[in-house]
Amino acid sequence: MTKKKKIIVMSSLVFLLALTAVLNVLLAQNNAAQAGETVTTANYFATYRSERTTTRSEELLQLDSIIALYDETSEEYAEAVAMKMDIVEVMEQELQLETMIKSLGFSDAVVSIGVDSENVNVFINSDELDMDTALSIYDMLRNEAGIAAGNIIIMAVYSEF
């Protein structure tokens, strides 16, 4: 083999090695991005609950500071206590409804009830939402919580665990 042929073969091998390294990096980034999407979807319900709990805790802390600041006979004190009780009641109702919806056979569900409005959002872990499922959830919310059907929104969020 001549020196020129050896240089061409070695250059080709170096080029192929560099090409392999570039493709490996691109495929690794693509797989990492897809894995990140799966983790985000899989943690949807846990993340939602965590954010909801954090927000409610902050609201309760603010109300506690108002309660501590004012005298028991003041109007501000009474309003803060009433708001705190409303939030606690909503939290209990959400937990109860989530448990009842899970009893219908869903692996997970999140219920969000508006404190200042009568709207209720329901997120169920399902790849699709058929009419029978929606009606059973509507009936449950209407019968157990007295929520009007026009105020209920049900959404399916598919999440693998």
Side-chain angles (χ1 to χ4, degrees):
M1 211 185 226
T2 65
K3 192 173 189 180
K4 189 174 187 176
K5 285 185 181 179
K6 287 181 183 179
I7 292 174
I8 291 173
V9 169
M10 289 300 285
S11 296
S12 299
L13 290 174
V14 169
F15 173 76
L16 288 174
L17 183 62
L19 180 63
T20 304
V22 169
L23 290 176
N24 190 21
V25 168
L26 291 175
L27 288 174
Q29 288 175 345
N30 188 23
N31 287 340
Q34 288 176 353
E37 291 173 11
T38 303
V39 169
T40 302
T41 304
N43 292 330
Y44 175 79
F45 293 96
T47 302
Y48 189 94
R49 279 191 192 91
S50 175
E51 289 175 1
R52 180 179 66 188
T53 301
T54 301
T55 302
R56 295 269 170 81
S57 295
E58 290 173 4
E59 291 172 350
L60 292 173
L61 283 173
Q62 290 174 353
L63 290 172
D64 284 340
S65 67
I66 291 171
I67 291 169
L69 187 63
Y70 290 98
D71 186 55
E72 291 182 15
T73 59
S74 71
E75 185 177 320
E76 291 85 1
Y77 179 89
E79 286 179 16
V81 169
M83 287 177 67
K84 185 174 180 179
M85 294 307 294
D86 288 344
I87 291 172
V88 170
E89 183 180 320
V90 164
M91 290 169 65
E92 289 175 359
Q93 192 173 22
E94 286 172 342
L95 183 60
Q96 178 186 18
L97 293 173
E98 287 172 4
T99 303
M100 293 175 75
I101 291 170
K102 288 179 194 177
S103 73
L104 293 174
F106 297 104
S107 61
D108 209 349
V110 172
V111 176
S112 176
I113 300 174
V115 176
D116 295 333
S117 69
E118 297 178 7
N119 294 334
V120 176
N121 297 314
V122 178
F123 304 95
I124 57 170
N125 187 9
S126 178
D127 55 349
E128 62 182 48
L129 180 63
D130 60 8
M131 186 61 83
D132 292 335
T133 304
L135 286 175
S136 64
I137 293 172
Y138 275 119
D139 287 340
M140 181 185 297
L141 292 174
R142 191 180 67 231
N143 294 336
E144 294 298 323
I147 300 167
N151 295 338
I152 300 170
I153 298 173
I154 302 172
M155 292 174 266
V157 178
Y158 184 63
S159 177
E160 291 181 3
F161 292 100

